[in-house]
Amino acid sequence: MPVPVLVLDVLDFLFAHPEVVPDFVDEGFADRHDEVVFVFGFGSGSTIQYDASAKSYSLAAGGSSGTDTFVSSERDGSAPSGNQRYVKSDGRTFTVTQPIVAGRGFDYLRFARLTTKQSDGTPIAVSFVTGVVTRGVDVPSSGSVTLSRTAVTGEAYVTANGTTTAYSLGRSTLTISIDFAAGRVTGRMVLIGTPINGGADVTLSTIDANVDFSGTGTVTPVSGDFTPNANSYLAGAFFGPRANETGLLLSLQGSSASGARLTLIASGAGGS
């Protein structure tokens, strides 16, 4: 019996940047202030198809030029454990990462990242949270849970006095509590930036969220130098047969009293 092609649901935000840089480690990535150029609602932007028999992915990222297909021969065998990484000869990359906390991997959701180009040739990087989304009828209607296993990944840029510093966000922390009876999610994300080119960690912002399952509620900065502007967004979804796991994407743009600018995208995952 043939293995079907799986179409995965996605949350996705896009960065524009000056050059396509695999793995977000090249200092050229921080040569200018990066900007979020597109934000798509859940299920309305990008599509990801996985062909299990061919071990290939096809992606149509909102704002990019057509479909990017990554085949098994392009898979990077040196990728870290828990990562599937594909690299094309022209520099396009696609990475799927299984969040792992305390030695245990998440079952139903994945972080993913695509570097490609817009239709006008501008290089872009797309951040996804994807996986097997929970159907609305399968979300519990009673009980509550505080998710004990959480993971954060992402990237941030701070521009001050004409210089942009790039940060990874892998040391950030996340707490998530879900009240299924009330249909409400509360949480806090402490965004800790580790400079890509070396240096001490910096707490960029602390964000509290209190939202219902439809996305209505408040997302409030409670500490940090940066005040988010109207181009900041938070999106989330449940994954697994009974909302076993929760995924989110935070797009934050803001400025400080001194005129410094912050742009970041963070992906988060929570599970019991």
Side-chain angles (χ1 to χ4, degrees):
M1 180 178 178
V3 178
V5 174
L6 178 63
V7 180
L8 299 174
D9 289 301
V10 299
L11 299 167
D12 58 324
F13 293 158
L14 281 70
F15 258 142
H17 58 73
E19 57 185 71
V20 173
V21 182
D23 273 348
F24 178 49
V25 294
D26 194 293
E27 64 185 58
F29 212 178
D31 282 347
R32 70 168 181 80
H33 175 63
D34 288 48
E35 297 178 351
V36 177
V37 292
F38 296 99
V39 176
F40 295 101
F42 184 69
S44 64
S46 304
T47 61
I48 300 176
Q49 294 184 339
Y50 177 64
D51 187 328
S53 59
K55 297 181 179 179
S56 66
Y57 286 91
S58 294
L59 303 95
S64 68
S65 56
T67 300
D68 294 278
T69 299
F70 295 86
V71 298
S72 59
S73 61
E74 296 168 331
R75 186 164 176 174
D76 180 3
S78 65
S81 176
N83 288 258
Q84 298 178 51
R85 184 168 184 269
Y86 297 78
V87 181
K88 288 188 173 293
S89 59
D90 63 2
R92 286 177 292 160
T93 68
F94 180 59
T95 305
V96 180
T97 301
Q98 179 186 29
I100 299 174
V101 178
R104 180 183 166 197
F106 279 67
D107 296 316
Y108 302 105
L109 72 82
R110 297 291 186 269
F111 298 146
R113 191 171 188 274
L114 169 70
T115 60
T116 184
K117 293 184 177 181
Q118 291 179 250
S119 55
D120 64 0
T122 302
I124 58 175
V126 191
S127 294
F128 306 91
V129 175
T130 186
V132 181
V133 72
T134 308
R135 299 186 307 163
V137 296
D138 293 330
V139 175
S141 58
S142 63
S144 62
V145 63
T146 295
L147 303 181
S148 58
R149 296 187 306 127
T150 59
V152 178
T153 189
E155 55 204 76
Y157 304 87
V158 174
T159 300
N161 301 317
T163 300
T164 298
T165 302
Y167 299 88
S168 65
L169 298 175
R171 294 179 181 171
S172 301
T173 63
L174 174 65
T175 58
I176 302 174
S177 295
I178 306 167
D179 186 335
F180 289 110
R184 184 160 293 276
V185 179
T186 57
R188 168 171 289 189
M189 181 178 284
V190 181
L191 295 158
I192 300 171
T194 301
I196 295 301
N197 293 322
D201 287 354
V202 176
T203 300
L204 299 170
S205 186
T206 298
I207 303 293
D208 279 0
N210 186 332
V211 297
D212 64 24
F213 287 178
S214 69
T216 301
T218 59
V219 180
T220 308
V222 294
S223 67
D225 295 333
F226 297 94
T227 301
N229 61 28
N231 295 316
S232 299
Y233 300 90
L234 175 68
F238 295 129
F239 295 84
R242 295 285 291 170
N244 310 68
E245 297 170 356
T246 300
L248 63 86
L249 272 175
L250 173 68
S251 167
L252 183 63
Q253 299 182 69
S255 58
S256 69
S258 64
R261 294 177 299 165
L262 168 68
T263 302
L264 66 80
I265 287 182
S267 303
S272 299

